[in-house]
Amino acid sequence: MTENSATDRLAELSGHGVSIWLDDLSRGHLRDGLLADLVGTKHVVGVTTNPTIFAGALAKAHDYDDQMATLAAAGTGVDDAVIAATTDDVRDAADLFADVYRRTGGQDGRVSIEVDPRLAKDTEKTIEQARLLWSTVDRPNIFVKIPATKEGLPAITKATSEGISVNVTLIFSLDRYRAVAGAYLDGLELAQRAGVDLSGIRSVASFFVSRVDTEIDKRLDALGTDEATALKGKAGIANARLAFQAFEEIFSTPRWEALAAAGAHVQRPLWASTGVKDPAYPDTMYVDELVVDGVVNTMPEKTMRAVADHANLRGDTVHGTYEESRRLLDRLERLGVSYTDVTDTLEVEAVEKFDKSWAELADTVTAALARAGVAK
């Protein structure tokens, strides 16, 4: 596989209208040029982060030692030190993507930073931190990530109404996806009434894919029947395809057309959790099977390199699948695999996972401050 042919696969994916974003960010990759190389040669036009990514970045390298020493000397507390480190990385990454941002008219060139997951059930504090992160990074090409919990929905509306661009994360169910899109439209309408320029507001809705298969496959294995086995590894893709159907419906209504006429942009679907969890499955299937114009696919570096090497791209793999996708979810229900229970479970587990990662991040920063001798 030559470098040119590998790059051509990513170019082909991009040519189908899929924005390729990297699901990773570290100060080391900002400094060693890896991220710049991915932007320059691999068609990467955005970056997403989360507490797990930052916890790993701070724990594995000494790139943050100098900053931690400075913060410790100033008597900075742990939470403030976490925000300082993460917002600095996101700001630097946003600057790296500034040309992409301008070239795409603000659609891409985006870098996401997540609110503290401990606030996932607190609407007002989520809004406060969204404002803090937006103003601290102070770059037009960032997204503030807000989880799609019930308490997060009004925070999405409020942040959008204030002109903050939001990446809504941790979406698992179709009902919640529709609620997220509704929250975005509510925010745009409030912004319009307040005189905010709608053309400056962007949003993506991060619909998680592989985790759906992980949970459903576990339940299918417990059933142990041939029919159950035959359905493994299919629900995540079907669920995402039906989310795109919902996207098409929502963003073709008279309500949306009125906002679009005022300069608003659609809230693009973003395929998240696209690294394959089960090694029995093709390692590019959550890319190959979700190709459609107008979406983002944010990939771990390992998945991105697999796509570059051997993706099975066949054009649009979403349109024309809606009926089949609905039948598949119906079959799961008939087998006793409750869609609602699965998606509710996944949301709870996802928030808990990010809570744990945030705690690990705080522990790492605490240790770094302690090494400087003046931890708070």
Side-chain angles (χ1 to χ4, degrees):
M1 180 63 60
T2 67
E3 180 69 17
N4 285 340
S5 61
T7 301
D8 285 347
R9 279 199 175 85
L10 293 171
E12 182 182 354
L13 181 63
S14 180
H16 287 306
V18 178
S19 291
I20 302 167
W21 290 9
L22 177 68
D23 192 27
D24 193 16
L25 181 64
S26 70
R27 191 162 296 180
H29 287 342
L30 282 165
R31 289 176 173 175
D32 66 17
L34 175 63
L35 184 56
D37 178 68
L38 292 175
V39 174
T41 68
K42 299 296 190 293
H43 302 276
V44 172
V45 292
V47 162
T48 50
T49 68
N50 59 47
T52 303
I53 287 171
F54 276 127
L58 269 83
K60 294 176 182 176
H62 295 285
D63 301 302
Y64 300 86
D65 288 354
D66 290 346
Q67 183 179 23
M68 290 297 115
T70 299
L71 292 169
T76 307
V78 171
D79 285 351
D80 288 340
V82 167
I83 289 175
T86 56
T87 55
D88 279 2
D89 283 358
V90 168
R91 187 183 305 107
D92 289 345
D95 289 344
L96 188 153
F97 279 97
D99 287 344
V100 175
Y101 172 74
R102 288 188 288 268
R103 172 169 53 82
T104 62
Q107 175 165 276
D108 287 310
R110 297 279 175 170
V111 184
S112 297
I113 183 169
E114 188 155 349
V115 298
D116 184 338
R118 295 173 298 180
L119 308 178
K121 300 294 184 180
D122 190 320
T123 300
E124 291 305 317
K125 288 185 178 179
T126 294
I127 294 169
E128 290 174 9
Q129 193 171 67
R131 292 171 179 148
L132 173 66
L133 294 174
W134 182 256
S135 61
T136 301
V137 178
D138 193 25
R139 295 294 186 272
N141 57 322
I142 71 160
F143 279 128
V144 176
K145 292 178 78 172
I146 296 176
T149 56
K150 290 179 181 178
E151 296 83 357
L153 295 173
I156 294 159
T157 295
K158 183 62 174 175
T160 301
S161 76
E162 296 179 5
I164 297 172
S165 292
V166 176
N167 175 346
V168 185
T169 189
L170 301 184
I171 307 172
F172 298 97
S173 77
L174 296 168
D175 284 346
R176 187 57 56 83
Y177 168 70
R178 289 182 178 277
V180 163
Y184 175 60
L185 297 182
D186 290 344
L188 289 175
E189 289 168 343
L190 289 171
Q192 184 179 29
R193 289 199 287 270
V196 177
D197 179 8
L198 300 189
S199 67
I201 302 172
R202 297 278 185 165
S203 185
V204 292
S206 295
F207 203 84
F208 280 55
V209 186
S210 68
R211 293 191 197 181
V212 173
D213 278 336
T214 299
E215 180 63 27
I216 288 181
D217 285 1
K218 180 173 65 177
R219 300 180 186 211
L220 291 172
D221 283 337
L223 293 174
T225 66
D226 289 343
E227 182 181 8
T229 299
L231 294 179
K232 289 181 61 178
K234 297 180 179 180
I237 291 167
N239 197 36
R241 287 169 169 171
L242 291 172
F244 192 81
Q245 181 187 32
F247 160 77
E248 291 181 310
E249 294 170 354
I250 293 164
F251 289 95
S252 62
T253 60
R255 180 187 185 191
W256 166 249
E257 294 299 336
L259 287 165
H265 302 281
V266 299
Q267 182 186 58
R268 287 190 295 167
L270 179 152
W271 308 137
S273 183
T274 57
V276 172
K277 305 294 192 294
D278 188 334
Y281 299 148
D283 56 0
T284 63
M285 77 175 193
Y286 296 123
V287 178
D288 300 336
E289 303 302 328
L290 293 173
V291 175
V292 64
D293 185 23
V295 301
V296 178
N297 195 310
T298 184
M299 312 172 203
E301 185 182 348
K302 180 180 179 181
T303 300
M304 186 178 296
R305 295 195 181 281
V307 170
D309 183 66
H310 53 263
N312 180 25
L313 300 176
R314 311 180 305 283
D316 187 329
T317 50
V318 173
H319 286 114
T321 68
Y322 301 150
E323 185 177 345
E324 175 190 357
S325 297
R326 176 57 64 189
R327 285 199 303 267
L328 187 136
L329 295 188
D330 288 344
R331 288 178 67 189
L332 289 169
E333 289 286 347
R334 288 196 296 271
L335 285 176
V337 178
S338 168
Y339 177 84
T340 299
D341 187 66
V342 166
T343 55
D344 286 350
T345 297
L346 287 170
E347 180 179 304
V348 170
E349 289 179 349
V351 172
E352 290 175 349
K353 178 181 178 181
F354 280 172
D355 271 348
K356 181 179 178 181
S357 295
W358 192 270
E360 292 170 357
L361 177 58
D363 288 346
T364 301
V365 170
T366 299
L369 294 174
R371 285 195 299 272
V374 285
K376 287 193 54 103

